[in-house]
Amino acid sequence: MNREEMLNRVTHHPEPWSIIIIGGGATGMGVAVDAASRGYRTLLLEQHDFGKGTSSRSTKLVHGGVRYLEQGNVSLVMEALRERGILRQNAPHLVSELPFIVPSYAWWEGPFYGIGLKVYQGLSGKYGFGASRLLSKEETLKRLPNVSPEGLRGGVEYYDGQFDDSRLLINLAATAVEQGATLLNYAPVTAILRDADGLVEGVTARDSETGREFTARAKVVINATGPFTDSVRRLADPGVTPMIAPSQGAHIVLDRSFLDGDTAIMVPHTSDGRVMFAIPWHGHTLVGTTDSPVESAPLEPVPMAQEVEFMLSTAALYLARKPTHADILSQFAGIRPLVRSGDSRNTAALSRDHTLHIDPSGLVSVTGGKWTTYRNMAEDCVNQAAVLARLPEHASVTRNLNIHGFHQHADRFGALRFYGSDAPALQDLIRHEPALGEPLDVALPICGAEVVWAARREMARTVEDVLARRTRALFLNARAALRMAPAVARLLARELGRDAAWVELQLPAFESVARGYLPV
């Protein structure tokens, strides 16, 4: 993917597009892949970087949702379990099985959760990830040596999926481009165009790098901006009734020693009504999440003090070593675009089903849902948009479409395994320039070749793009990411043809964002 090429396509495209998508997160990128692979002329515009918002800030799970089963939403669980299996099939380099244990501290918890997780496993059918089973206290301690042993009676083991959210997003972007889509990051939509009948017919957008505005017309415009859905709807009609009830979910990242091994902990009930996880991820321990109603959706949300305290105190109930603020390597938050119901104050109770909404102007908005079901959401959206725009009828092919980087045995690439079939190309960069193979910081296995690759092939434009979303440095260890920033800026400047003044601007810009990831 090359941004200059993408921008050239946009500015030299006199014919209307079939579909314009606003928003470059999981939903928008899924729609782009689905639409382009059906043969529709597809343009996606993102105001910042791909995955800047919610889609890079998940709990890193591809799962059916145990809590939704408890709520009685069996259809959502079955959909998610099916999509979980399809995603592992299409992106095995990024999606893997992960064993979970629910530790039992009361006599009834083992049988109770054992039955529920047997049902959960059964609903997955041919897409199952592994059998659930009851564990003795001894087996539980063997599998989870870091779990609190006081009062432990045993546990229940089950399997779900794990992934790297923003790496998957970048691979989806590459897949969309391979299927013929045009994607442009740093291109905020500034206006929505309407024809004489008041129907949406295109957009005006701005290239943030040059400041130039451009117009693009389309037979249908899809709003896939997640928490910003209502803001885009107001561009078409200032009087629309809001449909989003934003909810913040926060996470903290600890050292691997807090949860040594390859097994996660699932806490089925916390004081805020959510499920809590402690998960091994990229050699660290990820703990989350929360569910806090918020008034607005900032582009760079920050965990609230009470959210961090809640996660630390909950983790302390289950981990033998009690984490403190000093143990937090990074903390981050994301905004869920939940769809309003009669009472949206309790966001934990709002449905995680996706919603398709068509305004009188013809603007199509798709929102809600979750990462696991992105593909199904996209298929549903394109089906409806194609009918609305009277596009030629073509069936979706994404159920069996391999995602860019597809590789069945990516583990053999070691630290580069998340690049899948692209890993040999990164290894070639290192062979050509051995210095690119050196870690940029002793705390993380991220090397210079990844920066070069991000600039050349993944449309990374800033230090933040590289350290937050092409690699996961900022999410894993904020202080290490800050130490890496000068070297990343110099490599990016070399690749993008920037000067020393650009480097000097990049460093404080990244530091400003990184401060929100540092524990207070």
Side-chain angles (χ1 to χ4, degrees):
M1 299 188 296
N2 180 281
R3 191 176 187 279
E4 285 75 18
E5 179 187 322
M6 295 289 114
L7 184 59
N8 188 57
R9 285 191 201 175
V10 173
T11 53
H12 295 85
H13 192 285
E15 296 297 318
W17 301 86
S18 302
I19 294 174
I20 290 177
I21 303 152
I22 308 172
T27 304
M29 208 62 76
V31 172
V33 170
D34 190 286
S37 61
R38 297 193 202 199
Y40 301 140
R41 294 190 304 277
T42 303
L43 169 64
L44 181 146
L45 300 171
E46 162 57 41
Q47 66 169 326
H48 196 273
D49 184 34
F50 304 130
K52 164 69 173 179
T54 308
S55 297
S56 62
R57 302 161 185 269
S58 75
T59 311
K60 323 306 175 192
L61 296 179
V62 182
H63 63 139
V66 174
R67 183 164 60 90
Y68 312 141
L69 182 61
E70 184 183 3
Q71 293 171 348
N73 197 340
V74 175
S75 61
L76 176 60
V77 173
M78 291 183 69
E79 174 198 343
L81 289 171
R82 181 186 70 244
E83 292 299 321
R84 181 190 72 172
I86 292 171
L87 190 49
R88 180 180 61 171
Q89 165 192 299
N90 293 338
H93 60 301
L94 288 171
V95 180
S96 58
E97 293 180 1
L98 181 66
F100 288 77
I101 291 177
V102 181
S104 305
Y105 290 91
W107 66 267
W108 57 269
E109 288 181 326
F112 180 79
Y113 294 123
I115 293 169
L117 290 166
K118 280 288 185 187
V119 173
Y120 183 72
Q121 171 202 335
L123 291 174
S124 62
K126 68 177 182 179
Y127 295 109
F129 273 31
S132 65
R133 64 189 182 104
L134 293 174
L135 302 177
S136 67
K137 176 181 178 179
E138 291 71 28
E139 288 177 303
T140 302
L141 286 170
K142 184 177 180 180
R143 295 290 303 280
L144 289 175
N146 304 95
V147 75
S148 178
E150 187 176 345
L152 183 69
R153 289 174 174 266
V156 183
E157 180 186 47
Y158 75 102
Y159 287 81
D160 241 323
Q162 184 176 43
F163 78 137
D164 185 311
D165 46 17
S166 64
R167 285 305 312 166
L168 176 59
L169 186 72
I170 295 303
N171 280 186
L172 283 172
T175 307
V177 170
E178 290 163 357
Q179 295 297 321
T182 297
L183 316 175
L184 196 62
N185 53 357
Y186 295 98
V189 169
T190 56
I192 290 182
L193 307 176
R194 297 170 68 171
D195 63 18
D197 296 320
L199 297 177
V200 170
E201 64 171 359
V203 303
T204 298
R206 182 180 69 253
D207 173 20
S208 293
E209 295 195 350
T210 64
R212 291 198 299 266
E213 285 203 334
F214 60 88
T215 294
R217 300 188 184 276
K219 296 179 180 178
V220 63
V221 175
I222 295 173
N223 172 16
T225 56
F228 308 103
T229 296
D230 289 330
S231 298
V232 172
R233 292 174 65 224
R234 282 191 287 270
L235 288 177
D237 180 358
V240 295
T241 301
M243 59 185 290
I244 299 299
S247 166
Q248 178 160 300
H251 300 79
I252 57 174
V253 178
L254 308 170
D255 185 76
R256 179 187 179 92
S257 62
F258 282 90
L259 190 68
D260 208 11
D262 61 355
T263 301
I265 295 175
M266 192 271 274
V267 179
H269 277 290
T270 64
S271 58
D272 78 339
R274 286 195 62 81
V275 169
M276 177 70 77
F277 297 99
I279 300 166
W281 188 64
H282 282 300
H284 293 70
T285 300
L286 176 72
V287 175
T289 180
T290 59
D291 201 327
S292 307
V294 290
E295 291 298 319
S296 60
L299 191 58
E300 188 61 61
V302 174
M304 294 177 274
Q306 62 266 34
E307 290 180 304
V308 176
E309 291 294 342
F310 168 75
M311 289 184 285
L312 286 172
S313 60
T314 303
L317 296 174
Y318 293 88
L319 297 177
R321 181 178 161 205
K322 314 305 181 190
T324 68
H325 285 276
D327 296 310
I328 297 175
L329 299 176
S330 188
Q331 58 186 40
F332 61 92
I335 306 295
R336 302 182 191 89
L338 304 181
V339 179
R340 289 181 182 273
S341 64
D343 176 11
S344 59
R345 288 173 295 178
N346 180 14
T347 53
L350 292 186
S351 172
R352 267 56 175 175
D353 283 323
H354 71 271
T355 295
L356 264 173
H357 178 86
I358 303 175
D359 281 312
S361 65
L363 177 68
V364 178
S365 295
V366 55
T367 191
K370 57 182 189 160
W371 244 119
T372 306
T373 57
Y374 88 91
R375 190 209 64 83
N376 192 49
M377 289 172 63
E379 180 179 341
D380 190 13
C381 180
V382 176
N383 285 343
Q384 298 296 323
V387 171
L388 182 69
R390 298 177 181 172
L391 299 175
E393 186 176 340
H394 299 298
S396 175
V397 300
T398 57
R399 184 180 289 249
N400 297 300
L401 180 67
N402 288 345
I403 292 168
H404 180 90
F406 177 94
H407 199 292
Q408 293 280 20
H409 305 288
D411 281 352
R412 73 183 182 88
F413 298 122
L416 298 176
R417 63 189 178 279
F418 299 102
Y419 291 88
S421 61
D422 285 333
L426 277 89
Q427 292 171 333
D428 287 342
L429 287 175
I430 294 168
R431 276 190 285 271
H432 182 260
E433 191 176 346
L436 293 178
E438 296 298 317
L440 295 173
D441 189 86
V442 294
L444 295 170
I446 295 168
C447 65
E450 295 177 75
V451 182
V452 171
W453 183 261
R456 292 182 185 177
R457 302 295 295 273
E458 296 182 342
M459 292 175 69
R461 312 299 290 178
T462 70
V463 170
E464 182 196 335
D465 293 350
V466 172
L467 290 175
R469 290 171 294 278
R470 302 310 184 277
T471 71
R472 307 320 307 275
L474 183 58
F475 285 77
L476 292 168
N477 189 324
R479 294 183 184 88
L482 283 166
R483 293 193 297 266
M484 296 160 70
V488 170
R490 289 191 294 271
L491 278 171
L492 266 184
R494 186 187 81 175
E495 292 299 316
L496 299 177
R498 310 298 194 202
D499 58 17
W502 180 86
V503 172
E504 290 302 311
L505 289 173
Q506 278 292 298
L507 294 179
F510 178 69
E511 288 169 8
S512 176
V513 171
R515 277 196 294 270
Y517 293 73
L518 290 168
V520 178

